[in-house]
Amino acid sequence: MSATAITLSSYGVDKLTVSEVARPTAGPNQVVVNVKLRPVNPADVFSVLGVYPGFAPKTLPATPGLEGYGIVTEVGPGVTRVAVGARVVPFFDTLNGHGSWQEFVVVDEQELAIVPDSVSDATAAQLIVNPISVLGMLDRLAVPKGEFVLQSAAGSTLGRQLIQIAKSRGIKTVNLVRRSAQIDELKAIGADVVVSTEGLDTPAKITAAILEATGGKHPYGAVDAVGGNITEALTLAVRVGGTVIVYGAMEGMSCSAGVGSLIFRGITITGYWLGKEFPLMGVKGRQAITSEALDLITRGVLEPFSGEIFPLADIGAAVGKSMAAARGGKVLVA
């Protein structure tokens, strides 16, 4: 039997191909999952372009896609954790080219999260990349209750989830956006402070706007998806001894910081990459942190920001839409 998969024989958005591949079968302790829905994340686009280290198949063709949701259609000998018909989020082997942009995948029964009936398909499809990254970064910053955490790109899907999760922990948020139109939108989901960088053309001006909005209170720590001069603004704004975690590169593959921030203010700049952190958690760790995310979802704390849905065969258009500004939520592929 055959199945549909999106494959790359060489890198580039124009190289994405709708292919027919052999449908996998379940071996001992394995399950086959019919992948029903998957998002297009920035890292997926970088995978397609051949510049993402989390997609490094030894040979091509290969299939990208970091996350997705599906239904178990076959169980192998020895499987006890799930049955046919179970709603699950597989932990995809995207590194080796076995990603979510295909109809069927086979995984070990332990390498998945079981999705409660109360969680929608669209929400389940976005369980891994953004929620787990937010949980990991907030845990690393260890922001005390009542303190501020500062973030760039606050209008992104991840940024919105950070607002929601921080609020559930009693942490206040300072949120940088590029467009003033986003201010009321983010405050409506619980943002404490929102600062637009429109017209603020230097790190010093951005920092001044942040501190004016917080009444002079320096945020405890920060997360940055932008890089460039925004990183410098965050290093100037956070408390003495604070940490800035860089997890994205919206302005390119470099970021800046003043020497004074590093030497005299003791600021630490570090990175967070889920592609490294998630495997290091081990099976039990992966199951535990996805269970934590699912609990936040079922309690109504976390609500992913879903956008337009494209058919799998129209993957090129989906990728193009995912790179558009003000796209209205995470692009999904069915």
Side-chain angles (χ1 to χ4, degrees), residues 268-301:
T268 298
I269 302 174
T270 188
Y272 187 92
W273 178 36
L274 189 63
K276 183 185 83 170
E277 301 295 335
F278 202 57
L280 291 176
M281 294 175 188
V283 171
K284 290 184 178 179
R286 288 189 287 275
Q287 291 179 1
I289 199 165
T290 51
S291 293
E292 182 180 357
L294 284 166
D295 177 65
L296 290 169
I297 291 166
T298 56
R299 289 193 290 116
V301 170

PDB file of all heavy atoms in Angstrom, residues 268-301:
ATOM      1  N   THR A 268      23.970  37.730  30.934  1.00  0.00           N
ATOM      2  CA  THR A 268      24.264  36.484  30.224  1.00  0.00           C
ATOM      3  C   THR A 268      23.364  36.384  28.995  1.00  0.00           C
ATOM      4  O   THR A 268      22.157  36.573  29.090  1.00  0.00           O
ATOM      5  CB  THR A 268      24.016  35.259  31.119  1.00  0.00           C
ATOM      6  OG1 THR A 268      24.896  35.311  32.240  1.00  0.00           O
ATOM      7  CG2 THR A 268      24.238  33.955  30.351  1.00  0.00           C
ATOM      8  N   ILE A 269      23.966  36.107  27.843  1.00  0.00           N
ATOM      9  CA  ILE A 269      23.209  35.829  26.620  1.00  0.00           C
ATOM     10  C   ILE A 269      23.438  34.359  26.282  1.00  0.00           C
ATOM     11  O   ILE A 269      24.578  33.906  26.155  1.00  0.00           O
ATOM     12  CB  ILE A 269      23.664  36.710  25.446  1.00  0.00           C
ATOM     13  CG1 ILE A 269      23.511  38.192  25.787  1.00  0.00           C
ATOM     14  CG2 ILE A 269      22.862  36.379  24.187  1.00  0.00           C
ATOM     15  CD1 ILE A 269      24.071  39.125  24.732  1.00  0.00           C
ATOM     16  N   THR A 270      22.362  33.625  26.147  1.00  0.00           N
ATOM     17  CA  THR A 270      22.459  32.201  25.840  1.00  0.00           C
ATOM     18  C   THR A 270      21.380  31.827  24.834  1.00  0.00           C
ATOM     19  O   THR A 270      20.551  32.657  24.471  1.00  0.00           O
ATOM     20  CB  THR A 270      22.343  31.355  27.127  1.00  0.00           C
ATOM     21  OG1 THR A 270      22.629  29.982  26.835  1.00  0.00           O
ATOM     22  CG2 THR A 270      20.960  31.472  27.743  1.00  0.00           C
ATOM     23  N   GLY A 271      21.408  30.602  24.372  1.00  0.00           N
ATOM     24  CA  GLY A 271      20.436  30.161  23.376  1.00  0.00           C
ATOM     25  C   GLY A 271      19.557  29.047  23.898  1.00  0.00           C
ATOM     26  O   GLY A 271      19.879  28.379  24.890  1.00  0.00           O
ATOM     27  N   TYR A 272      18.433  28.859  23.228  1.00  0.00           N
ATOM     28  CA  TYR A 272      17.559  27.724  23.517  1.00  0.00           C
ATOM     29  C   TYR A 272      17.116  27.138  22.196  1.00  0.00           C
ATOM     30  O   TYR A 272      16.578  27.834  21.328  1.00  0.00           O
ATOM     31  CB  TYR A 272      16.325  28.143  24.323  1.00  0.00           C
ATOM     32  CG  TYR A 272      15.491  26.957  24.768  1.00  0.00           C
ATOM     33  CD1 TYR A 272      15.715  26.358  26.005  1.00  0.00           C
ATOM     34  CD2 TYR A 272      14.502  26.416  23.946  1.00  0.00           C
ATOM     35  CE1 TYR A 272      14.977  25.253  26.412  1.00  0.00           C
ATOM     36  CE2 TYR A 272      13.762  25.321  24.342  1.00  0.00           C
ATOM     37  CZ  TYR A 272      14.004  24.741  25.577  1.00  0.00           C
ATOM     38  OH  TYR A 272      13.279  23.638  25.965  1.00  0.00           O
ATOM     39  N   TRP A 273      17.358  25.824  22.043  1.00  0.00           N
ATOM     40  CA  TRP A 273      16.951  25.125  20.831  1.00  0.00           C
ATOM     41  C   TRP A 273      16.271  23.830  21.241  1.00  0.00           C
ATOM     42  O   TRP A 273      16.893  22.942  21.810  1.00  0.00           O
ATOM     43  CB  TRP A 273      18.166  24.834  19.955  1.00  0.00           C
ATOM     44  CG  TRP A 273      17.839  24.078  18.701  1.00  0.00           C
ATOM     45  CD1 TRP A 273      16.728  24.214  17.939  1.00  0.00           C
ATOM     46  CD2 TRP A 273      18.638  23.063  18.085  1.00  0.00           C
ATOM     47  NE1 TRP A 273      16.766  23.345  16.867  1.00  0.00           N
ATOM     48  CE2 TRP A 273      17.928  22.631  16.936  1.00  0.00           C
ATOM     49  CE3 TRP A 273      19.878  22.503  18.376  1.00  0.00           C
ATOM     50  CZ2 TRP A 273      18.428  21.649  16.089  1.00  0.00           C
ATOM     51  CZ3 TRP A 273      20.362  21.515  17.522  1.00  0.00           C
ATOM     52  CH2 TRP A 273      19.648  21.102  16.398  1.00  0.00           C
ATOM     53  N   LEU A 274      14.987  23.739  20.938  1.00  0.00           N
ATOM     54  CA  LEU A 274      14.229  22.554  21.314  1.00  0.00           C
ATOM     55  C   LEU A 274      14.772  21.300  20.633  1.00  0.00           C
ATOM     56  O   LEU A 274      14.699  20.206  21.190  1.00  0.00           O
ATOM     57  CB  LEU A 274      12.752  22.737  20.965  1.00  0.00           C
ATOM     58  CG  LEU A 274      11.799  21.663  21.486  1.00  0.00           C
ATOM     59  CD1 LEU A 274      11.782  21.640  23.018  1.00  0.00           C
ATOM     60  CD2 LEU A 274      10.393  21.863  20.933  1.00  0.00           C
ATOM     61  N   GLY A 275      15.353  21.483  19.448  1.00  0.00           N
ATOM     62  CA  GLY A 275      15.931  20.347  18.741  1.00  0.00           C
ATOM     63  C   GLY A 275      17.025  19.657  19.523  1.00  0.00           C
ATOM     64  O   GLY A 275      17.276  18.457  19.330  1.00  0.00           O
ATOM     65  N   LYS A 276      17.689  20.375  20.399  1.00  0.00           N
ATOM     66  CA  LYS A 276      18.697  19.770  21.282  1.00  0.00           C
ATOM     67  C   LYS A 276      18.082  19.351  22.608  1.00  0.00           C
ATOM     68  O   LYS A 276      18.367  18.270  23.128  1.00  0.00           O
ATOM     69  CB  LYS A 276      19.832  20.768  21.554  1.00  0.00           C
ATOM     70  CG  LYS A 276      20.947  20.181  22.419  1.00  0.00           C
ATOM     71  CD  LYS A 276      21.999  21.225  22.767  1.00  0.00           C
ATOM     72  CE  LYS A 276      21.575  22.055  23.963  1.00  0.00           C
ATOM     73  NZ  LYS A 276      22.662  22.919  24.483  1.00  0.00           N
ATOM     74  N   GLU A 277      17.224  20.210  23.155  1.00  0.00           N
ATOM     75  CA  GLU A 277      16.691  19.973  24.495  1.00  0.00           C
ATOM     76  C   GLU A 277      15.732  18.779  24.553  1.00  0.00           C
ATOM     77  O   GLU A 277      15.751  18.001  25.508  1.00  0.00           O
ATOM     78  CB  GLU A 277      15.987  21.232  25.009  1.00  0.00           C
ATOM     79  CG  GLU A 277      16.856  22.471  25.087  1.00  0.00           C
ATOM     80  CD  GLU A 277      17.980  22.360  26.092  1.00  0.00           C
ATOM     81  OE1 GLU A 277      17.847  21.567  27.042  1.00  0.00           O
ATOM     82  OE2 GLU A 277      18.996  23.073  25.928  1.00  0.00           O
ATOM     83  N   PHE A 278      14.882  18.634  23.542  1.00  0.00           N
ATOM     84  CA  PHE A 278      13.841  17.599  23.579  1.00  0.00           C
ATOM     85  C   PHE A 278      14.445  16.181  23.618  1.00  0.00           C
ATOM     86  O   PHE A 278      14.040  15.366  24.460  1.00  0.00           O
ATOM     87  CB  PHE A 278      12.893  17.770  22.400  1.00  0.00           C
ATOM     88  CG  PHE A 278      11.537  17.143  22.584  1.00  0.00           C
ATOM     89  CD1 PHE A 278      10.723  17.488  23.659  1.00  0.00           C
ATOM     90  CD2 PHE A 278      11.061  16.213  21.679  1.00  0.00           C
ATOM     91  CE1 PHE A 278       9.461  16.914  23.827  1.00  0.00           C
ATOM     92  CE2 PHE A 278       9.805  15.629  21.835  1.00  0.00           C
ATOM     93  CZ  PHE A 278       9.013  15.982  22.911  1.00  0.00           C
ATOM     94  N   PRO A 279      15.417  15.845  22.766  1.00  0.00           N
ATOM     95  CA  PRO A 279      16.020  14.513  22.872  1.00  0.00           C
ATOM     96  C   PRO A 279      16.717  14.268  24.210  1.00  0.00           C
ATOM     97  O   PRO A 279      16.702  13.136  24.720  1.00  0.00           O
ATOM     98  CB  PRO A 279      17.034  14.485  21.716  1.00  0.00           C
ATOM     99  CG  PRO A 279      16.525  15.489  20.744  1.00  0.00           C
ATOM    100  CD  PRO A 279      15.924  16.577  21.587  1.00  0.00           C
ATOM    101  N   LEU A 280      17.326  15.314  24.785  1.00  0.00           N
ATOM    102  CA  LEU A 280      18.046  15.150  26.046  1.00  0.00           C
ATOM    103  C   LEU A 280      17.117  14.847  27.218  1.00  0.00           C
ATOM    104  O   LEU A 280      17.566  14.353  28.257  1.00  0.00           O
ATOM    105  CB  LEU A 280      18.864  16.408  26.350  1.00  0.00           C
ATOM    106  CG  LEU A 280      20.065  16.680  25.442  1.00  0.00           C
ATOM    107  CD1 LEU A 280      20.711  18.009  25.812  1.00  0.00           C
ATOM    108  CD2 LEU A 280      21.083  15.550  25.518  1.00  0.00           C
ATOM    109  N   MET A 281      15.833  15.130  27.066  1.00  0.00           N
ATOM    110  CA  MET A 281      14.883  14.879  28.157  1.00  0.00           C
ATOM    111  C   MET A 281      14.667  13.393  28.401  1.00  0.00           C
ATOM    112  O   MET A 281      14.241  12.999  29.492  1.00  0.00           O
ATOM    113  CB  MET A 281      13.531  15.536  27.841  1.00  0.00           C
ATOM    114  CG  MET A 281      13.557  17.036  27.806  1.00  0.00           C
ATOM    115  SD  MET A 281      11.932  17.684  27.287  1.00  0.00           S
ATOM    116  CE  MET A 281      12.310  19.430  27.094  1.00  0.00           C
ATOM    117  N   GLY A 282      14.923  12.560  27.404  1.00  0.00           N
ATOM    118  CA  GLY A 282      14.623  11.140  27.534  1.00  0.00           C
ATOM    119  C   GLY A 282      13.134  10.886  27.378  1.00  0.00           C
ATOM    120  O   GLY A 282      12.320  11.814  27.371  1.00  0.00           O
ATOM    121  N   VAL A 283      12.763   9.617  27.245  1.00  0.00           N
ATOM    122  CA  VAL A 283      11.361   9.264  27.010  1.00  0.00           C
ATOM    123  C   VAL A 283      10.463   9.778  28.129  1.00  0.00           C
ATOM    124  O   VAL A 283       9.430  10.418  27.873  1.00  0.00           O
ATOM    125  CB  VAL A 283      11.204   7.737  26.861  1.00  0.00           C
ATOM    126  CG1 VAL A 283       9.733   7.360  26.851  1.00  0.00           C
ATOM    127  CG2 VAL A 283      11.872   7.248  25.590  1.00  0.00           C
ATOM    128  N   LYS A 284      10.833   9.527  29.391  1.00  0.00           N
ATOM    129  CA  LYS A 284       9.991   9.947  30.506  1.00  0.00           C
ATOM    130  C   LYS A 284       9.895  11.469  30.579  1.00  0.00           C
ATOM    131  O   LYS A 284       8.830  12.022  30.884  1.00  0.00           O
ATOM    132  CB  LYS A 284      10.527   9.371  31.810  1.00  0.00           C
ATOM    133  CG  LYS A 284      10.344   7.864  31.933  1.00  0.00           C
ATOM    134  CD  LYS A 284      10.800   7.350  33.284  1.00  0.00           C
ATOM    135  CE  LYS A 284      10.564   5.846  33.406  1.00  0.00           C
ATOM    136  NZ  LYS A 284      11.014   5.308  34.715  1.00  0.00           N
ATOM    137  N   GLY A 285      10.993  12.147  30.299  1.00  0.00           N
ATOM    138  CA  GLY A 285      10.971  13.606  30.314  1.00  0.00           C
ATOM    139  C   GLY A 285      10.090  14.182  29.229  1.00  0.00           C
ATOM    140  O   GLY A 285       9.349  15.150  29.457  1.00  0.00           O
ATOM    141  N   ARG A 286      10.150  13.587  28.031  1.00  0.00           N
ATOM    142  CA  ARG A 286       9.304  14.057  26.937  1.00  0.00           C
ATOM    143  C   ARG A 286       7.828  13.843  27.256  1.00  0.00           C
ATOM    144  O   ARG A 286       6.998  14.718  27.001  1.00  0.00           O
ATOM    145  CB  ARG A 286       9.690  13.347  25.635  1.00  0.00           C
ATOM    146  CG  ARG A 286      11.017  13.795  25.058  1.00  0.00           C
ATOM    147  CD  ARG A 286      11.256  13.229  23.676  1.00  0.00           C
ATOM    148  NE  ARG A 286      11.572  11.809  23.669  1.00  0.00           N
ATOM    149  CZ  ARG A 286      12.791  11.297  23.853  1.00  0.00           C
ATOM    150  NH1 ARG A 286      13.809  12.111  24.105  1.00  0.00           N
ATOM    151  NH2 ARG A 286      12.995   9.998  23.792  1.00  0.00           N
ATOM    152  N   GLN A 287       7.515  12.692  27.822  1.00  0.00           N
ATOM    153  CA  GLN A 287       6.126  12.433  28.186  1.00  0.00           C
ATOM    154  C   GLN A 287       5.657  13.369  29.296  1.00  0.00           C
ATOM    155  O   GLN A 287       4.526  13.863  29.273  1.00  0.00           O
ATOM    156  CB  GLN A 287       5.960  10.976  28.604  1.00  0.00           C
ATOM    157  CG  GLN A 287       6.111   9.980  27.461  1.00  0.00           C
ATOM    158  CD  GLN A 287       5.959   8.544  27.912  1.00  0.00           C
ATOM    159  OE1 GLN A 287       5.727   8.267  29.086  1.00  0.00           O
ATOM    160  NE2 GLN A 287       6.088   7.606  26.987  1.00  0.00           N
ATOM    161  N   ALA A 288       6.540  13.665  30.239  1.00  0.00           N
ATOM    162  CA  ALA A 288       6.161  14.530  31.360  1.00  0.00           C
ATOM    163  C   ALA A 288       5.894  15.957  30.911  1.00  0.00           C
ATOM    164  O   ALA A 288       4.890  16.578  31.306  1.00  0.00           O
ATOM    165  CB  ALA A 288       7.247  14.508  32.426  1.00  0.00           C
ATOM    166  N   ILE A 289       6.767  16.501  30.058  1.00  0.00           N
ATOM    167  CA  ILE A 289       6.595  17.903  29.680  1.00  0.00           C
ATOM    168  C   ILE A 289       5.435  18.065  28.702  1.00  0.00           C
ATOM    169  O   ILE A 289       4.736  19.085  28.731  1.00  0.00           O
ATOM    170  CB  ILE A 289       7.906  18.495  29.116  1.00  0.00           C
ATOM    171  CG1 ILE A 289       7.850  20.035  29.182  1.00  0.00           C
ATOM    172  CG2 ILE A 289       8.207  17.998  27.705  1.00  0.00           C
ATOM    173  CD1 ILE A 289       9.184  20.712  28.994  1.00  0.00           C
ATOM    174  N   THR A 290       5.182  17.067  27.851  1.00  0.00           N
ATOM    175  CA  THR A 290       4.002  17.158  26.986  1.00  0.00           C
ATOM    176  C   THR A 290       2.722  16.998  27.805  1.00  0.00           C
ATOM    177  O   THR A 290       1.703  17.639  27.504  1.00  0.00           O
ATOM    178  CB  THR A 290       4.050  16.118  25.856  1.00  0.00           C
ATOM    179  OG1 THR A 290       4.305  14.816  26.387  1.00  0.00           O
ATOM    180  CG2 THR A 290       5.129  16.460  24.845  1.00  0.00           C
ATOM    181  N   SER A 291       2.773  16.192  28.857  1.00  0.00           N
ATOM    182  CA  SER A 291       1.608  16.086  29.752  1.00  0.00           C
ATOM    183  C   SER A 291       1.343  17.412  30.453  1.00  0.00           C
ATOM    184  O   SER A 291       0.187  17.807  30.643  1.00  0.00           O
ATOM    185  CB  SER A 291       1.835  14.980  30.785  1.00  0.00           C
ATOM    186  OG  SER A 291       1.864  13.708  30.175  1.00  0.00           O
ATOM    187  N   GLU A 292       2.416  18.109  30.839  1.00  0.00           N
ATOM    188  CA  GLU A 292       2.269  19.429  31.466  1.00  0.00           C
ATOM    189  C   GLU A 292       1.606  20.404  30.491  1.00  0.00           C
ATOM    190  O   GLU A 292       0.695  21.162  30.867  1.00  0.00           O
ATOM    191  CB  GLU A 292       3.630  19.963  31.901  1.00  0.00           C
ATOM    192  CG  GLU A 292       3.557  21.311  32.602  1.00  0.00           C
ATOM    193  CD  GLU A 292       4.921  21.844  33.031  1.00  0.00           C
ATOM    194  OE1 GLU A 292       5.943  21.140  32.839  1.00  0.00           O
ATOM    195  OE2 GLU A 292       4.962  22.976  33.550  1.00  0.00           O
ATOM    196  N   ALA A 293       2.051  20.380  29.236  1.00  0.00           N
ATOM    197  CA  ALA A 293       1.454  21.264  28.231  1.00  0.00           C
ATOM    198  C   ALA A 293      -0.012  20.921  27.989  1.00  0.00           C
ATOM    199  O   ALA A 293      -0.866  21.811  27.881  1.00  0.00           O
ATOM    200  CB  ALA A 293       2.245  21.179  26.924  1.00  0.00           C
ATOM    201  N   LEU A 294      -0.318  19.631  27.912  1.00  0.00           N
ATOM    202  CA  LEU A 294      -1.710  19.218  27.716  1.00  0.00           C
ATOM    203  C   LEU A 294      -2.590  19.614  28.897  1.00  0.00           C
ATOM    204  O   LEU A 294      -3.759  19.991  28.721  1.00  0.00           O
ATOM    205  CB  LEU A 294      -1.787  17.706  27.486  1.00  0.00           C
ATOM    206  CG  LEU A 294      -1.356  17.226  26.099  1.00  0.00           C
ATOM    207  CD1 LEU A 294      -1.150  15.725  26.089  1.00  0.00           C
ATOM    208  CD2 LEU A 294      -2.380  17.642  25.045  1.00  0.00           C
ATOM    209  N   ASP A 295      -2.037  19.559  30.098  1.00  0.00           N
ATOM    210  CA  ASP A 295      -2.788  19.991  31.275  1.00  0.00           C
ATOM    211  C   ASP A 295      -3.114  21.486  31.189  1.00  0.00           C
ATOM    212  O   ASP A 295      -4.238  21.906  31.516  1.00  0.00           O
ATOM    213  CB  ASP A 295      -1.981  19.691  32.543  1.00  0.00           C
ATOM    214  CG  ASP A 295      -2.679  20.193  33.801  1.00  0.00           C
ATOM    215  OD1 ASP A 295      -3.767  19.670  34.112  1.00  0.00           O
ATOM    216  OD2 ASP A 295      -2.146  21.110  34.456  1.00  0.00           O
ATOM    217  N   LEU A 296      -2.144  22.290  30.744  1.00  0.00           N
ATOM    218  CA  LEU A 296      -2.390  23.724  30.585  1.00  0.00           C
ATOM    219  C   LEU A 296      -3.484  23.978  29.553  1.00  0.00           C
ATOM    220  O   LEU A 296      -4.313  24.877  29.694  1.00  0.00           O
ATOM    221  CB  LEU A 296      -1.096  24.430  30.164  1.00  0.00           C
ATOM    222  CG  LEU A 296      -0.002  24.523  31.225  1.00  0.00           C
ATOM    223  CD1 LEU A 296       1.310  24.994  30.599  1.00  0.00           C
ATOM    224  CD2 LEU A 296      -0.404  25.461  32.356  1.00  0.00           C
ATOM    225  N   ILE A 297      -3.494  23.169  28.505  1.00  0.00           N
ATOM    226  CA  ILE A 297      -4.500  23.320  27.456  1.00  0.00           C
ATOM    227  C   ILE A 297      -5.885  22.939  27.975  1.00  0.00           C
ATOM    228  O   ILE A 297      -6.865  23.670  27.785  1.00  0.00           O
ATOM    229  CB  ILE A 297      -4.121  22.472  26.229  1.00  0.00           C
ATOM    230  CG1 ILE A 297      -2.876  23.053  25.548  1.00  0.00           C
ATOM    231  CG2 ILE A 297      -5.283  22.401  25.236  1.00  0.00           C
ATOM    232  CD1 ILE A 297      -2.220  22.118  24.547  1.00  0.00           C
ATOM    233  N   THR A 298      -5.963  21.791  28.640  1.00  0.00           N
ATOM    234  CA  THR A 298      -7.280  21.328  29.110  1.00  0.00           C
ATOM    235  C   THR A 298      -7.848  22.242  30.192  1.00  0.00           C
ATOM    236  O   THR A 298      -9.071  22.330  30.342  1.00  0.00           O
ATOM    237  CB  THR A 298      -7.195  19.887  29.643  1.00  0.00           C
ATOM    238  OG1 THR A 298      -6.200  19.812  30.678  1.00  0.00           O
ATOM    239  CG2 THR A 298      -6.815  18.919  28.528  1.00  0.00           C
ATOM    240  N   ARG A 299      -6.987  22.936  30.927  1.00  0.00           N
ATOM    241  CA  ARG A 299      -7.462  23.878  31.949  1.00  0.00           C
ATOM    242  C   ARG A 299      -7.775  25.251  31.379  1.00  0.00           C
ATOM    243  O   ARG A 299      -8.170  26.160  32.095  1.00  0.00           O
ATOM    244  CB  ARG A 299      -6.421  24.005  33.065  1.00  0.00           C
ATOM    245  CG  ARG A 299      -6.310  22.762  33.929  1.00  0.00           C
ATOM    246  CD  ARG A 299      -5.507  23.007  35.202  1.00  0.00           C
ATOM    247  NE  ARG A 299      -4.087  23.211  34.983  1.00  0.00           N
ATOM    248  CZ  ARG A 299      -3.422  24.323  35.242  1.00  0.00           C
ATOM    249  NH1 ARG A 299      -4.076  25.394  35.704  1.00  0.00           N
ATOM    250  NH2 ARG A 299      -2.133  24.410  35.031  1.00  0.00           N
ATOM    251  N   GLY A 300      -7.566  25.420  30.072  1.00  0.00           N
ATOM    252  CA  GLY A 300      -7.879  26.682  29.421  1.00  0.00           C
ATOM    253  C   GLY A 300      -6.825  27.745  29.594  1.00  0.00           C
ATOM    254  O   GLY A 300      -7.046  28.914  29.230  1.00  0.00           O
ATOM    255  N   VAL A 301      -5.669  27.374  30.128  1.00  0.00           N
ATOM    256  CA  VAL A 301      -4.581  28.334  30.313  1.00  0.00           C
ATOM    257  C   VAL A 301      -3.923  28.658  28.975  1.00  0.00           C
ATOM    258  O   VAL A 301      -3.607  29.809  28.673  1.00  0.00           O
ATOM    259  CB  VAL A 301      -3.524  27.770  31.290  1.00  0.00           C
ATOM    260  CG1 VAL A 301      -2.274  28.644  31.318  1.00  0.00           C
ATOM    261  CG2 VAL A 301      -4.114  27.636  32.684  1.00  0.00           C
TER     262      VAL A 301
END
